Amino acid sequence: MQAPAAAAPRWPAVAVRQGLFASEDAYYDALHDHLRDRLRAEVQALSDAEDVELLRTERLLQSIETAMGEIGARRDELAAPEGDDGPPAHMIGATVVAQLRSEADGLSEQIDRLTRRVAPNLRTIAGPRLTARLIEEAGGLERLARKPSGTIQVLGAESALFAHLQGRGPSPKHGVIYTHPAVRHAPRSERGSIARMLAGKLAIAARIDHYRGSLDEAFTTEVTDRLTAVRS
Amino acid sequence: MSDLPEGVERRRFGDRRRLATRGEPVYGEPVDASGWRVWDTNRSKVGALLQTHGDPGFDHASRVLYLGAATGTTVSHLADMGMYVYAVELSPYAADSLLAVTASRPRLFPIIADARQPAAYSDVVEGQLAWMIQDVASAQQVQIAVANRHYLADDGQLLLFIKARSIDATAEPAAVFSAVEAQLADSFEITARVDMDATHRDHRALIGQIR
C-alpha cells in the first residue's frame, strides 16, 4: 500500500484544455476505445497462457491414468479368490485408485473448459481430450498450427515413424488421432485415408484456433458432416 | 433517502415487480418489451441496496470509481443509469466478460488492475469523482478505500460493502463491522449502515462522506 497521493487531476478537462480533444465527450470516446483495446490484449495474453495450462493439465492427467492402470493391475494380482475384501494391500490399492479417479475427473473437466476457450474448432471436430493430446504432443497450440497435416497425422506415433524411416516396418497410418471414432471405427483398409483426411481438417482447425481464435461454425459443421458420412 | 435514482425503475416481470435499468442484457437476465432488463438483487449488492434502502444519492452523469467490478454485472446497470464508471477489477479472467459488457456502454471504462496499487491507473482514472464504490473480497478493504480517496471530490462519497468473512473468517461479523468502521473513521464520516443479510449473508453496506 502506498502513501496517500495528492488529489488526482480531472483528465477530461486537462485533455480539452491542452487542445488534445475538442470536447470531453471526444476524450471519453477515445478513452473507452483505448481501455477496451487493452482489455483485448489482456484476453489474448490469457489465452496464450491457457494453452500451456492445457498442455500441463493433459500431461498430469496422463501420468495419473498411467498410475491408475499400474496400481489397478497390482491390486488385481492381490484380489481374494472368493470375493471377500482380500489382504490390506488390496484395499489400499482400491482406495488409491478411487482417489486418483476423482482427481482424473477433475482434470478432465478442466480440459473440457480450457479447450472450449483455447481451441474451439479443434474441440468441435476432435473432442476435448484428443484436442488436449494434440496440443500436448505438438508442445502448444502455435506449434500445432504450424505443423503440416502429414505430421499431425502421425503425432504420437514417433517411434513407428522413425522405425519406418530406418527401413524397419511400414509407414504409420495414424498417431493419437487413432482415438477419433471416425478413424478407430473405420474398416482397416479405409483407416489410412480417413486419418489423412482428418489430419488435414485438424491442421486447418488448429490454424483457425491460433490465428483467429473464434469458432468457425461453417467450417466445423462441414467437417463433422463429412466425418459422419464416412462413418456410415 | 428518496426511493430510486433516475434510470432505475420497478417493473413487472412475470408475477413480480423487480428493479430494472434500460440497456443491452449481459447475463441472460429477463428483458421486457420496452427494453428494460432485470437488475438481479441476488447478484448485485448495489441492486440489493437500492431495493432495501433506496437511493443513496446517485446522480445521472455522476462520475464513479468502482473497485471490484468482477464480470461487470453491477457496473453495467450503473452505466445504464447514465453514470460514468471506472470499473477496476483485479482478475484478468474477468476481461472476457468486461469486454462484452462495455461494448454497448461508451461511458463504462474497464480497467484490469490491483486496487491496492491505485497509482497503476492514475493515468486513466480522473479525479473529483462523486462516488467510490467498493465491493472487493479482501482483508484490506479499509486500506483500499483510503489509498483511493484522492480520486474523490471534496464532497465525494464512499459506498463500501464489508464482506465480514473475507476480513476475518473467525470473528463475529458484528465485531468485524465495527472494527472496519473504526478504521475508516479518520478518512470517512459514516452516514448510513445497511445490513445486507436478506440477499448477501454477513455483508454490510457503509455509506460515508469523505473528511
Side-chain angles (χ1 to χ4, degrees), chain A residues 78-89:
Chain A
L78 287 165
E82 288 306 315
D84 73 280
D85 283 349

Side-chain angles (χ1 to χ4, degrees), chain B residues 61-211:
Chain B
S62 60
R63 273 60 164 168
V64 179
L65 176 61
Y66 193 102
L67 306 174
T71 54
T73 305
T74 299
V75 291
S76 73
H77 288 288
L78 295 176
D80 285 355
M81 290 161 59
M83 295 170 114
Y84 290 51
V85 185
Y86 294 93
V88 177
E89 169 55 36
L90 177 62
S91 167
Y93 288 97
D96 244 345
S97 55
L98 284 175
L99 209 48
V101 166
T102 52
S104 62
R105 295 181 172 85
R107 296 298 176 259
L108 177 52
F109 307 104
I111 301 162
I112 299 291
D114 186 346
R116 289 171 299 186
Q117 308 291 339
Y121 41 81
S122 60
D123 57 340
V124 285
V125 177
E126 64 185 285
Q128 305 296 313
L129 299 173
W131 282 95
M132 180 204 310
I133 304 178
Q134 193 202 106
D135 183 14
V136 299
S138 164
Q140 300 183 51
Q141 289 198 278
V142 173
Q143 292 89 326
I144 289 170
V146 173
N148 283 280
R149 56 174 289 183
H150 61 287
Y151 289 112
L152 285 176
D154 290 342
D155 59 353
Q157 299 197 79
L158 171 73
L159 167 55
L160 181 145
F161 296 95
I162 313 174
K163 189 172 187 176
R165 296 296 171 198
S166 289
I167 291 185
D168 186 342
T170 61
E172 276 300 306
V176 175
F177 294 151
S178 52
V180 167
E181 204 174 304
Q183 292 167 44
L184 277 173
D186 282 344
S187 308
F188 297 93
E189 183 192 343
I190 303 304
T191 53
R193 301 156 189 81
V194 184
D195 285 323
M196 310 290 296
D197 282 295
T199 48
H200 299 83
R201 212 167 146 225
D202 298 331
H203 283 71
R204 172 180 280 187
L206 293 182
I207 300 170
Q209 188 85 35
I210 193 167
R211 283 194 200 275

